[in-house]
Amino acid sequence: MNLTLKIWRQKDAQSKGKMVDYKVTEISEHMSFLEMMDVLNEQLINTGEEPVAFDHDCREGICGMCSMYINGEAHGPDRGVTTCQLHMRMFKDGDTITIEPFRAKAFPVLKDLVVDRGAFDRIQHAGGYISVNTSGNTQDANAIPISKHAADEAMDAATCIGCGACVASCKNSSAMLFVGAKVSQYALLPQGQVEATDRVKNMVAQMDLEGFGNCTNTGACEVECPKGISLENIARMNREFLSANIKG
């Protein structure tokens, strides 16, 4: 198929960016979106132009690195997939595809489609961990009974890959789905109770410090999350936060 690509180009964090049009031809419907971008970059390099910078790593929907806003949707028109898992069969011959970086005050653009998502790392550092005895007396994993329901819900929360689609899709650039998932995966398990009070207060405080907006229950984050993280995690985080502040 032959396509027109409208891509955000920005030299660096200090420069102004703009949309630039490109043409790509003979794109197979079996290609992934990133493979199509590779074809474009090879074409640009062969003509002496600067290739389009974009984040990627595993290309298997696991690492959360790929982050493109495609035709007004985080990760594109498919559901339950990251950009690297999006295939060109979702588009038609002759289509015009608009490709932008994730937009948020807390995700500044570094170059072209690459954004700095270090804010997520700093939120994790603020409380996304547990105390574990590593002195040689570590308890066996099966020594602490955990109900199947709690284990399943914790695992569902832990599937968050920190890609930032929730922030990019939110009209307020809220990170509450991400933070809710990270708080929930520990709040549901006995191992996470030691730091429970400090964890939620510190992670929420860091989230606010980074400049993310608040949640107004639109639900776009859950719809466009490639891992289907539930809004229930935001509700759980709010309960944990209220409880932590009551306890002092």
Side-chain angles (χ1 to χ4, degrees):
M1 65 180 82
N2 300 328
L3 304 165
T4 299
L5 307 178
K6 293 181 176 292
I7 301 178
W8 181 262
R9 300 304 307 264
Q10 185 172 331
K11 184 179 179 181
D12 52 45
Q14 288 73 43
S15 302
K16 288 186 176 181
K18 63 179 181 179
M19 301 299 291
V20 178
D21 291 1
Y22 298 100
K23 301 282 187 181
V24 287
T25 60
E26 298 182 5
I27 299 298
S28 168
E29 65 176 9
H30 303 298
M31 284 183 179
S32 72
F33 199 86
L34 295 191
E35 286 172 334
M36 182 274 295
M37 293 296 295
D38 291 337
V39 169
L40 170 65
N41 277 345
E42 186 174 348
Q43 177 180 306
L44 293 175
I45 291 168
N46 289 339
T47 56
E49 297 179 66
E50 181 79 11
V52 178
F54 60 90
D55 269 330
H56 63 95
D57 192 2
C58 74
R59 299 201 179 201
E60 294 180 350
I62 298 169
C63 70
M65 283 294 291
C66 55
S67 52
M68 295 183 193
Y69 206 66
I70 304 164
N71 285 350
E73 298 179 271
H75 294 304
D78 208 351
R79 288 290 169 263
V81 299
T82 53
T83 302
C84 63
Q85 295 174 301
L86 177 67
H87 281 79
M88 297 312 296
R89 54 180 169 267
M90 298 297 296
F91 304 93
K92 300 188 297 293
D93 183 39
D95 274 358
T96 296
I97 305 174
T98 302
I99 309 168
E100 302 173 82
F102 282 178
R103 303 286 191 183
K105 177 184 176 182
F107 288 169
V109 176
L110 298 177
K111 182 176 182 179
D112 295 339
L113 305 175
V114 179
V115 298
D116 180 0
R117 285 171 287 181
F120 273 11
D121 294 331
R122 291 186 289 274
I123 292 172
Q124 277 284 79
H125 294 164
Y129 52 83
I130 62 170
S131 294
V132 176
N133 184 343
T134 57
S135 65
N137 298 317
T138 309
Q139 282 186 299
D140 184 84
N142 295 321
I144 304 174
I146 300 171
S147 71
K148 173 110 176 22
H149 179 70
D152 286 348
E153 285 200 320
M155 183 60 73
D156 287 344
T159 59
C160 169
I161 57 176
C163 66
C166 50
V167 176
S169 61
C170 177
K171 61 185 180 183
N172 307 317
S173 296
S174 172
M176 289 186 72
L177 191 67
F178 166 76
V179 179
K182 297 307 178 184
V183 168
S184 290
Q185 74 178 77
Y186 298 117
L188 289 160
L189 301 175
Q191 293 92 332
Q193 300 312 305
V194 178
E195 298 91 357
T197 300
D198 289 338
R199 175 184 300 111
V200 67
K201 290 200 291 187
N202 291 343
M203 292 182 80
V204 169
Q206 188 64 40
M207 174 182 70
D208 291 341
L209 185 64
E210 297 292 344
F212 291 105
N214 207 347
C215 174
T216 50
N217 297 310
T218 304
C221 55
E222 180 179 356
V223 172
E224 296 195 23
C225 173
K227 298 302 176 182
I229 301 297
S230 172
L231 289 175
E232 290 178 5
N233 291 292
I234 296 179
R236 183 177 295 106
M237 179 185 69
N238 287 335
R239 293 194 298 270
E240 290 285 321
F241 186 71
L242 177 62
S243 176
N245 279 283
I246 290 173
K247 291 176 183 176

